[in-house]
Amino acid sequence: MENVHLALEEDDLYSGYNDYNPTFDSEELENDVGFQQAVRTNHGRRPPSRMPMSSSMGRPMTGAVQDGAARPMTAVRAAGYTSSLTRGSTFDPLGQSRGPAPPLEAKSEETAEEKIKILEMKVNDLIEESCMAHSIGALQLALEKAKEAGRKERALVRQREQSGSGEHINLDLTYSVLLNLANQYANNEMYPEALNSYQVIVKNKMFSNAGRLKVNMANIYFKQKNYPKAIKFYRMALDQISNTHKELRIKIMQNIGVVFVRMGQYSDAITSFEHIMSESANIKTGFNLILCYYAIGDRERMKKAFLKLISVRLGIDDEDKYIPSNDDTSSDMVIEAIKNDKLHQMERDLKALAEKYIMTAAKLIAPAIETSFAAGFDWCVDMVKSSQYVELANDLEINKAITYLRQKDFKQAVETLKTFEKKDSRVKSAAATNLSFLYFLEKDFDQADRYADLAMNADRYNPAALINKGNTVFIKQDYEKAAEFYKEALRNDSSCTEALYNLGLTYKKLNRLEEALDCFLKLHAILRNCAQVMYQLAHLHELLEDPQQAIEWLMQVISVTPTDPQVLAKLGELHDAEGDKSQAFQYYYESFRYFPSNIDVIEWLGAYYIETQFCEKAIQYFERATLIQPTQVKWQLMVASCYRRSGNYQKALETYKDIHRKFPVNIECLRFLVRLCTDMGLKEVQEYATKLKKVEKMKEIREQRVKSGREGSARGRKEGREGSAGSAGDHSGSSTKGERLSAKMRSLPASSEPYEASSPKELDASYVDPLGPQTDRPKTGAKKRIEDDDFADEELGDDLLPE
């Protein structure tokens, strides 16, 4: 307390702050005589020095010359310069007079720590290169880099141990190397090696959080279809992950549920999926839960799960926020920038995925939750209308109609689609498009045309409606107008392949072959492996008299559909026309192997063997033709002829006798029977000769009647030109009668020459359109054969069909 000083009230706490040393008073310097005298003395004129003088200590004066060198005037000397050039110095700014520079000092050897750091950098670089190789799909290269990183990392550990710094091992680097190696093994489907690498990490207690890698191990067991072990490792991973990582735990539980579904244990899967829906509901889990309830046939829980599915929030903003307001220019620019960015694309993809799951779930459970399919679908539609996916209700109605089509209930499908006639334009256009297509399939072209017009009026920019309209006009053979509709569809959607295909066929009908070729070449650039397009290109080149190019395109068709018999037959026909019989035989034979009932192919092969003097081999082909067309005598005559040509006269005689029993008035058969019986000295020769004379006489009578009928017809035409209108009418009747008789006689199977007398070149193996009858033609995109006239109809609402 003695040292404590208490301030009295009369003491001034701020005294002394204005006191200062007068030495620092700059204002009084002008009146300070001593300071002014010092200033004048310091800045006075120096007396000029006429000769240098040395200082008392022997130091030369500034500018003095000593030993031939002048001392610089200042303490800092400029490089290469002196005070005077006349005193024996030379100008040498680079110092070249001093000789070469001394050699660099040798770098000392790297220390052990520096070597270790360099090796660590190499290991990190290898890991990075491995990951980059995997990102571009070079899986083998990624694995090699990962293995090399592992080898260098082990060398690094040994080097640390040798240098005595083993306690400073970089565990993070070791972990990275092992994890990358395990991942690359798994990517290359080397699952045992991947599992061993993961085990090394998991069993090492020095690695924290390594237990999470059991999820990777479980994924491998899942790929190997070892589901019990996959469940075991998923649960082990789940036990080692704390509740703070909620999202990761949810994903692992979802995997567990999927594995239970694969094992058929739907009750256990339902337990996992229900827990996820209660904790963190998502679209995929909700859909999987519906599938499980459907598998066990629980109607009520299916309904509840569907309600949960449509109540899941996606966390996506409305599309209205991307509509410019036109009030604020800066905000409009921001909206334009984010309208098509990756985040918005992700939102669109998520919404599309949700709609796909909801549509699929509705179609799946509709027949199961109610007594009828229609009632179940109506319930789903009502629930969707009251949810956030209200715009899906109309699409569900469209799918309801399509489901009726799959059930072949066309009446209900048409009635369902007709309910959309008073809906908004988009839905009305889609429904009318489908109705137009249905009526087109039923060949009710007037109704198809009507609904095509309705679809176009509702949405003129609907390419499907324009294609259907073009198809109805195409059927009426108004090809120019059809081409205009197809062109308009292409202007609305340049990627519409159906419109481009139909336009090419329309140009072909108009004989504008170059334009048709251009259309199909564009289409081929879009659909590289479409057999229909390549066939059309081949046919166009054939019409343009470029058979070599046609053959090349047909070879591409064969590379896509190697077992198409009609394309093989067409290749044989083209090679035959080019004179390459061996190649033609190869393709005709392949065609026969895949489809042994094509008469034209059979005829060509039989004629080929006859031409090459292998009549025995031709027999099997003509016998097959006999089975296909048993009422055609020419195939049986060819069989008998082959026996006769090969020298088997007994078999030929039996065949001719069999033909005579089936066709007793066939002249060729009787002629060969007479010839064979004569050559073989048989008694039946007289019998067959008598029958031959009778048949020939009957033939002469028929020919005379035909000739008289033709003469009467010619006379009637001549008199008709010269006579009155009345007589002309009478003679025209005679002419018609003669023509009917002539047609009747021409339809008889008799022939003046035996079939075998024809040259093999006359046996025309004509090409039959690959698609067969008109009623069997598929539309564009069908994986069948191609027909020349097959133009592509727009299929039922591609944008509304489920995947």
Side-chain angles (χ1 to χ4, degrees):
M1 291 300 291
E2 295 176 357
N3 299 324
V4 176
H5 176 69
L6 299 179
L8 300 177
E9 293 182 1
E10 59 274 8
D11 290 341
D12 186 2
L13 295 177
Y14 302 101
S15 61
Y17 284 103
N18 293 327
D19 299 337
Y20 64 93
N21 192 337
T23 306
F24 302 107
D25 187 3
S26 59
E27 295 178 357
E28 299 295 330
L29 290 178
E30 295 179 358
N31 301 325
D32 190 339
V33 178
F35 178 79
Q36 292 297 330
Q37 181 64 34
V39 170
R40 283 194 296 269
T41 304
N42 191 32
H43 292 278
R45 178 179 296 180
R46 277 186 197 149
S49 59
R50 298 183 180 272
M51 55 183 301
M53 300 292 291
S54 296
S55 65
S56 60
M57 299 298 295
R59 176 178 176 272
M61 295 179 61
T62 300
V65 177
Q66 187 178 10
D67 297 331
R71 183 177 180 276
M73 293 295 292
T74 60
V76 180
R77 177 180 175 181
Y81 292 94
T82 60
S83 59
S84 175
L85 294 179
T86 60
R87 297 177 182 172
S89 63
T90 58
F91 179 74
D92 187 14
L94 298 179
Q96 296 178 0
S97 61
R98 292 177 295 187
L104 297 175
E105 294 183 4
K107 186 179 179 181
S108 60
E109 293 185 2
E110 295 176 349
T111 62
E113 191 62 31
E114 288 177 346
K115 291 181 180 179
I116 289 172
K117 287 184 178 179
I118 292 172
L119 198 54
E120 280 186 356
M121 292 175 62
K122 289 182 180 179
V123 173
N124 280 316
D125 291 340
L126 285 170
I127 295 174
E128 188 174 344
E129 289 173 10
S130 175
C131 295
M132 292 300 294
H134 172 259
S135 67
I136 62 175
L139 302 182
Q140 190 63 36
L141 178 61
L143 180 59
E144 292 300 325
K145 293 290 184 181
K147 288 181 178 179
E148 189 178 352
R151 289 191 293 268
K152 287 191 178 297
E153 193 274 334
R154 287 192 293 273
L156 174 63
V157 171
R158 287 195 299 270
Q159 193 166 343
R160 279 192 178 277
E161 290 175 350
Q162 291 172 2
S163 64
S165 58
E167 68 277 3
H168 299 299
I169 293 176
N170 192 342
L171 290 178
D172 292 337
L173 185 63
T174 305
Y175 182 86
S176 301
V177 168
L178 291 174
L179 178 59
N180 182 56
L181 182 61
N183 289 339
Q184 300 309 331
Y185 275 133
N187 294 331
N188 284 272
E189 298 183 359
M190 300 170 67
Y191 297 130
E193 293 85 349
L195 289 172
N196 291 336
S197 298
Y198 283 128
Q199 284 285 6
V200 171
I201 302 174
V202 170
K203 289 183 179 180
N204 194 331
K205 301 298 182 182
M206 299 178 69
F207 297 136
S208 59
N209 297 324
R212 296 185 180 185
L213 297 182
K214 290 181 179 178
V215 175
N216 296 16
M217 299 174 71
N219 291 340
I220 292 176
Y221 285 124
F222 179 81
K223 291 177 182 177
Q224 293 178 329
K225 297 185 178 180
N226 190 349
Y227 299 130
K229 270 203 167 183
I231 292 287
K232 175 184 175 182
F233 275 84
Y234 278 134
R235 285 178 170 167
M236 289 169 65
L238 196 63
D239 292 339
Q240 295 185 12
I241 296 174
S242 63
N243 292 327
T244 55
H245 301 90
K246 181 179 178 181
E247 186 175 352
L248 181 58
R249 290 178 61 86
I250 290 295
K251 289 181 178 179
I252 295 174
M253 291 191 68
Q254 190 167 344
N255 287 0
I256 292 173
V258 171
V259 177
F260 277 130
V261 170
R262 291 293 183 93
M263 296 172 67
Q265 299 179 15
Y266 299 113
S267 299
D268 295 329
I270 287 170
T271 303
S272 296
F273 291 144
E274 284 183 340
H275 176 75
I276 296 171
M277 291 300 287
S278 62
E279 292 291 328
S280 177
N282 61 78
I283 289 291
K284 287 186 178 180
T285 304
F287 181 73
N288 289 338
L289 186 59
I290 291 175
L291 293 180
C292 293
Y293 286 142
Y294 180 81
I296 64 176
D298 194 332
R299 291 186 177 184
E300 293 302 320
R301 296 172 85 178
M302 269 190 274
K303 289 184 177 181
K304 291 180 181 178
F306 186 77
L307 292 175
K308 288 182 180 179
L309 179 64
I310 61 178
S311 63
V312 173
R313 296 291 175 183
L314 300 178
I316 298 175
D317 294 331
D318 295 334
E319 290 290 326
D320 296 341
K321 78 173 186 178
Y322 296 106
I323 300 174
S325 60
N326 297 325
D327 296 333
D328 188 355
T329 307
S330 59
S331 63
D332 290 349
M333 292 175 63
V334 172
I335 290 172
E336 189 66 28
I338 67 173
K339 186 183 294 183
N340 294 311
D341 63 353
K342 291 185 178 180
L343 181 59
H344 191 206
Q345 184 62 43
M346 186 187 72
E347 291 178 346
R348 284 199 296 260
D349 293 343
L350 182 59
K351 187 176 181 181
L353 182 66
E355 292 176 354
K356 173 189 171 184
Y357 282 143
I358 292 170
M359 297 278 285
T360 307
K363 288 184 289 183
L364 177 69
I365 68 174
I369 58 177
E370 297 291 346
T371 55
S372 67
F373 158 76
F377 224 104
D378 290 339
W379 181 86
C380 292
V381 171
D382 292 339
M383 294 300 103
V384 169
K385 284 181 178 178
S386 59
S387 71
Q388 58 181 323
Y389 301 99
V390 62
E391 67 275 4
L392 278 182
N394 292 326
D395 295 344
L396 280 172
E397 290 280 5
I398 296 285
N399 274 276
K400 180 181 177 182
I402 294 173
T403 308
Y404 278 130
L405 287 178
R406 292 199 176 103
Q407 296 174 352
K408 301 190 183 303
D409 191 349
F410 295 100
K411 184 178 179 181
Q412 286 291 335
V414 171
E415 289 181 0
T416 304
L417 290 171
K418 284 183 177 179
T419 59
F420 289 93
E421 291 186 15
K422 296 182 179 179
K423 296 289 182 71
D424 61 11
S425 59
R426 186 186 69 85
V427 179
K428 184 196 295 184
S429 179
T433 300
N434 291 344
L435 282 169
S436 175
F437 176 72
L438 283 175
Y439 284 120
F440 190 90
L441 291 180
E442 294 177 348
K443 300 188 184 304
D444 188 351
F445 300 121
D446 292 333
Q447 286 290 340
D449 187 54
R450 172 175 170 266
Y451 279 101
D453 288 333
L454 184 63
M456 287 168 52
N457 294 333
D459 183 5
R460 185 72 187 190
Y461 296 99
N462 182 359
L466 292 165
I467 290 173
N468 284 342
K469 179 64 178 177
N471 291 347
T472 58
V473 177
F474 188 100
I475 289 295
K476 297 174 183 177
Q477 299 183 358
D478 189 354
Y479 301 123
E480 291 286 355
K481 194 172 182 181
E484 291 301 321
F485 283 113
Y486 296 142
K487 287 178 184 176
E488 186 176 353
L490 284 171
R491 285 195 294 270
N492 293 338
D493 182 6
S494 58
S495 63
C496 185
T497 55
E498 293 88 354
L500 193 56
Y501 187 92
N502 291 356
L503 182 61
L505 290 177
T506 307
Y507 282 143
K508 195 160 75 166
K509 285 287 186 182
L510 293 169
N511 203 30
R512 292 155 64 175
L513 301 181
E514 293 293 343
E515 294 178 70
L517 187 65
D518 184 54
C519 287
F520 285 113
L521 285 173
K522 289 179 181 177
L523 195 57
H524 178 64
I526 301 172
L527 307 173
R528 301 297 299 180
N529 295 321
C530 181
Q532 288 92 335
V533 175
M534 290 186 283
Y535 176 81
Q536 293 294 341
L537 285 166
H539 189 234
L540 283 168
H541 281 292
E542 184 185 4
L543 295 175
L544 291 167
E545 299 180 356
D546 188 358
Q548 290 299 325
Q549 195 67 29
I551 288 172
E552 287 189 16
W553 281 110
L554 286 176
M555 291 298 295
Q556 292 192 41
V557 177
I558 289 299
S559 68
V560 177
T561 55
T563 59
D564 192 318
Q566 299 297 346
V567 177
L568 289 166
K570 186 66 176 175
L571 272 170
E573 179 189 342
L574 290 173
H575 281 293
D576 187 27
E578 290 292 297
D580 191 349
K581 291 286 184 182
S582 60
Q583 279 290 338
F585 170 74
Q586 178 184 348
Y587 288 117
Y588 272 122
Y589 182 77
E590 287 293 311
S591 176
F592 175 79
R593 193 162 65 88
Y594 290 119
F595 184 59
S597 300
N598 189 330
I599 286 293
D600 298 319
V601 174
I602 292 171
E603 184 178 9
W604 192 93
L605 288 170
Y608 174 80
Y609 280 119
I610 290 174
E611 184 181 3
T612 54
Q613 304 299 319
F614 291 102
C615 298
E616 301 89 344
K617 292 186 177 181
I619 292 172
Q620 60 171 324
Y621 295 104
F622 292 123
E623 285 180 343
R624 182 172 290 277
T626 301
L627 295 175
I628 297 171
Q629 293 182 345
T631 60
Q632 293 290 329
V633 68
K634 64 179 181 179
W635 307 122
Q636 300 178 49
L637 287 171
M638 287 303 299
V639 173
S641 173
C642 290
Y643 281 125
R644 184 176 61 79
R645 287 169 182 264
S646 61
N648 193 346
Y649 297 109
Q650 186 62 40
K651 190 69 176 176
L653 180 62
E654 292 175 4
T655 306
Y656 279 124
K657 286 181 178 181
D658 185 56
I659 296 170
H660 179 64
R661 283 193 297 269
K662 295 177 181 177
F663 304 95
V665 294
N666 187 271
I667 294 176
E668 288 82 1
C669 181
L670 287 169
R671 283 177 181 170
F672 283 110
L673 278 170
V674 171
R675 187 184 302 175
L676 282 173
C677 289
T678 302
D679 294 342
M680 298 173 70
L682 300 177
K683 298 178 181 180
E684 295 97 328
V685 62
Q686 189 62 40
E687 176 187 352
Y688 291 125
T690 305
K691 290 181 179 180
L692 178 59
K693 288 180 181 179
K694 289 182 180 180
V695 174
E696 286 178 342
K697 190 174 182 180
M698 289 175 61
K699 181 183 177 182
E700 289 177 3
I701 294 171
R702 285 198 302 268
E703 289 177 349
Q704 288 178 359
R705 289 176 180 175
V706 172
K707 185 177 180 181
S708 63
R710 289 175 179 171
E711 289 175 354
S713 174
R715 189 183 306 113
R717 286 196 297 271
K718 183 177 180 181
E719 292 176 358
R721 286 194 297 269
E722 297 173 355
S724 62
S727 62
D730 295 336
H731 288 107
S732 66
S734 174
S735 173
T736 304
K737 182 177 179 181
E739 289 173 358
R740 285 200 302 269
L741 179 61
S742 175
K744 184 176 181 181
M745 297 308 294
R746 285 198 301 272
S747 66
L748 293 174
S751 175
S752 59
E753 296 293 335
Y755 184 78
E756 67 197 47
S758 302
S759 170
K761 294 181 181 179
E762 296 174 3
L763 298 177
D764 180 28
S766 59
Y767 173 67
V768 178
D769 257 301
L771 285 178
Q774 175 81 8
T775 54
D776 294 337
R777 278 190 270 162
K779 305 307 172 193
T780 296
K783 305 299 182 185
K784 294 186 180 180
R785 296 185 296 274
I786 311 96
E787 184 176 16
D788 200 32
D789 301 335
D790 180 26
F791 61 93
D793 295 318
E794 181 66 15
E795 296 190 1
L796 287 178
D798 287 342
D799 53 333
L800 298 176
L801 278 174
E803 292 186 9

